Amino acid sequence: VCTREPRVLLPQLRAAGSIFLGAPSSVVFGDYITGANHVLPTAGLARAYSGLSTLDFVRWVTYQELTPAAAARLAAPTATLASAEGLPAHATAARLRATHSDSETPHARRTPRRAAYRAIAPYDPGRLPCATDLSDNTNLFGAAPSIRKVLHEHDDASITRYPSVYAPKLKQAIATLLHVAPENISTGCGSDDVIDSVIRAFCEPRDRVAYPEPTFGMVPVFARMNATVPAPVPLDADFALAADPLLALRARITYLCRPNNPSGTQFARADVLRICEDAAGIVLIDEAYADFAGEELATYAATSQRTIVLRTMSKAFGMAGLRVGLAIGPRDLIEEIEKSRGPYKVNALAEQAALAVLNHDRAWVDARIAEVRQNRDRLTHELDARGVRTWPSRANFVLAGVGFDASIWNRELRARGVAVRPFADLPGAGECLRISIGPWPMIERFLSAFDEVGRQYGTRSE
Ligand code: PMP
């Protein structure tokens, strides 16, 4: 892999014998002198090698990464071995790495960085501006009236002074809504931030964060950001939860998204509760879309042993730009999250806006939720009528299986002013598009663009 940041691509390379990272890491070193090796004589190993170990049942991939200085040192002996074998091009490949001076070291290599961060790339959801944007599952009906009022009428202090340290008024309002105590609640700068705080609060480096796959794509990223190990477990057919393999991992944190993103499907409550009761570590249930499902586990979490539920004000409450997320759980766990979260995470205007919508605009929110559900069922029906495969969604989006390359659909729909979220080769579903639900005229624009592209390429569903 000869890119500037080869490690970033490493998690995506799954079918390989050995992967060579960076220009100094010539494959020829692997042939003769580093890592996995296919030339060394076996010296009768078969006589000594006996008994199976667990490694015999695991598919593993090695990677090899040489610093420029190491490549320079290994160049001569590697070239000697290659020449002896009669492979002059191999020898040349090794010798090409023979010179190295510090001044040639790329800047990135000299910068002190955490090893765990080499495999992390900045988040890129591919969200270029688009006339009809159905790509991010936010509230597409505009801001609630009470929020507009807060933003027009705020005083200078909410800009010039620090906000409250732990957002106590917001905690109280959520506590009243969910019939739990304020001590059962922690807040954050979006639920993204809360996921990060939860991992930081409970995991040591190298602990496992388990989750079903496919699910919310930021979970493995937050796991890596905290030097923990992402442990995905494939979902069963039709995105059903595979509880036993998840439990068997005995992970420090088991993350479940309910309803699940990107499938929109709802894991059976009994399966989720079984995981909550039997898991070895913390169970983190992401209810970002639970407002649209009409079923939740936040109240259960407050009296549980080890379950934490995540909520966000980015979706049903229409506040993604203001960034407010929440954790609900037993008091002793919430106390730990408050420590790892740090102060001032909810900004002053965001807290005021959240309070306004919770206190004055519940009816507005409920009406939007009802409209989303209605339009979600209507879109599902329209797609079914076109022979497109969908999965029963309990969220504010619908996943549709498309018969060919999701990236082509994405490009063609965008060319017609409509953005959705493409998923290439989604495990268990193939090429898919995820369509956020908004007012029906937006969905109509999607459908007419979809039909146009379908006429050009065909809409065969897999
Ligand atoms: N969880 C899930 C399942 C999501 O889909 C999202 C947003 N895409 C988030 C969490 C993060 O939301 P926020 O940080 O805006 O609260």
Side-chain angles (χ1 to χ4, degrees):
V1 181
C2 275
T3 59
R4 200 162 43 147
E5 295 285 351
R7 271 189 182 240
V8 169
L9 296 172
L10 195 53
Q12 291 167 45
L13 303 174
R14 299 199 169 171
S18 192
I19 300 165
F20 293 79
L21 297 178
S25 309
S26 167
V27 176
V28 72
F29 293 123
D31 285 345
Y32 296 107
I33 219 156
T34 61
N37 186 298
H38 61 80
V39 176
L40 288 176
T42 60
L45 182 71
R47 282 202 300 275
Y49 185 79
S50 61
L52 296 173
S53 82
T54 45
L55 279 182
D56 294 294
F57 297 92
V58 174
R59 212 183 118 262
W60 49 277
V61 175
T62 60
Y63 69 87
Q64 309 190 34
E65 188 176 27
L66 282 84
T67 62
R73 275 202 308 281
L74 296 180
T78 305
T80 303
L81 287 165
S83 301
E85 218 195 355
L87 296 171
H90 279 43
T92 307
R95 279 195 210 97
L96 278 172
R97 272 85 182 173
T99 48
H100 159 71
S101 71
D102 271 345
S103 62
E104 287 166 18
T105 308
H107 176 69
R109 285 206 176 280
R110 278 186 275 125
T111 313
R113 285 186 301 171
R114 291 185 67 177
Y117 276 62
R118 294 204 192 127
I120 300 171
Y123 184 50
D124 176 13
R127 285 194 55 236
L128 294 168
C130 192
T132 301
D133 188 345
L134 308 177
S135 72
D136 66 1
N137 304 339
T138 48
N139 185 328
L140 299 169
F141 296 84
S146 63
I147 297 186
R148 289 184 181 285
K149 195 158 173 282
V150 164
L151 295 181
H152 277 118
E153 293 174 6
H154 66 81
D155 57 6
D156 273 9
S158 53
I159 292 171
T160 59
R161 307 305 301 259
Y162 284 104
S164 65
V165 185
Y166 289 105
K169 288 187 185 151
L170 177 58
K171 284 192 200 183
Q172 184 57 62
I174 296 289
T176 309
L177 182 75
L178 297 177
H179 309 292
V180 299
E183 293 77 17
N184 292 119
I185 296 167
S186 179
T187 60
C189 177
S191 55
D192 274 349
D193 180 46
V194 185
I195 297 174
D196 187 32
S197 300
V198 169
I199 299 176
R200 197 166 50 243
F202 299 109
C203 291
E204 305 291 350
R206 289 184 290 282
D207 277 346
R208 279 189 194 142
V209 175
Y211 53 90
E213 195 171 49
T215 197
F216 180 40
M218 284 304 290
V219 173
V221 178
F222 284 120
R224 288 195 190 94
M225 277 168 59
N226 289 287
T228 61
V229 181
V233 171
L235 285 168
D236 282 344
D238 287 326
F239 302 114
L241 197 56
D244 288 322
L246 270 171
L247 286 168
L249 280 174
R250 303 188 61 75
R252 189 72 178 222
I253 292 180
T254 302
Y255 168 94
L256 304 171
C257 185
R258 187 173 186 263
N260 190 35
N261 179 10
S263 59
T265 50
Q266 181 90 322
F267 299 141
R269 191 180 174 93
D271 288 346
V272 174
L273 287 176
R274 204 186 122 214
I275 292 179
C276 293
E277 297 297 326
D278 295 351
I282 304 260
V283 181
L284 184 58
I285 302 177
D286 188 339
E287 292 194 340
Y289 302 100
D291 297 295
F292 304 101
E295 198 211 310
E296 51 91 32
L297 287 162
T299 324
Y300 160 83
T303 55
S304 73
Q305 289 281 310
R306 288 184 301 264
T307 301
I308 296 162
V309 159
L310 290 170
R311 287 289 182 87
T312 179
M313 303 211 56
S314 297
K315 309 297 179 183
F317 290 89
M319 285 181 50
L322 288 169
R323 316 298 300 125
V324 177
L326 304 150
I328 301 104
R331 292 173 190 221
D332 54 341
L333 299 190
I334 292 294
E335 228 173 84
E336 297 306 299
I337 300 170
E338 293 282 85
K339 289 185 211 167
S340 78
R341 156 209 199 267
Y344 309 128
K345 281 299 180 78
V346 178
N347 76 64
L349 291 178
E351 186 176 10
Q352 285 173 30
L355 287 170
V357 71
L358 287 166
N359 291 333
H360 306 297
D361 269 333
R362 286 301 317 223
W364 182 90
V365 171
D366 288 346
R368 302 290 81 75
I369 292 172
E371 209 170 330
V372 163
R373 286 181 174 174
Q374 205 176 25
N375 291 350
R376 174 182 76 195
D377 296 346
R378 215 170 145 192
L379 172 63
T380 308
H381 180 75
E382 290 285 345
L383 290 170
D384 287 350
R386 287 162 172 80
V388 174
R389 184 172 184 196
T390 57
W391 286 264
S393 171
R394 300 285 294 273
N396 66 340
F397 54 85
V398 171
L399 188 73
V402 284
F404 60 87
D405 207 329
S407 65
I408 296 178
W409 277 99
N410 186 39
R411 188 191 66 207
E412 295 295 323
L413 290 171
R414 272 187 175 271
R416 290 161 178 80
V418 178
V420 296
R421 186 74 182 266
F423 288 89
D425 200 16
L426 198 64
E431 302 291 311
C432 288
L433 303 177
R434 192 194 66 195
I435 306 122
S436 304
I437 303 297
W440 190 250
M442 291 180 94
I443 306 296
E444 265 180 336
R445 286 202 283 281
F446 161 75
L447 281 170
S448 75
F450 185 84
D451 286 342
E452 241 183 84
V453 180
R455 273 195 296 278
Q456 201 174 329
Y457 290 87
T459 49
R460 187 172 52 87
S461 185
E462 297 291 281

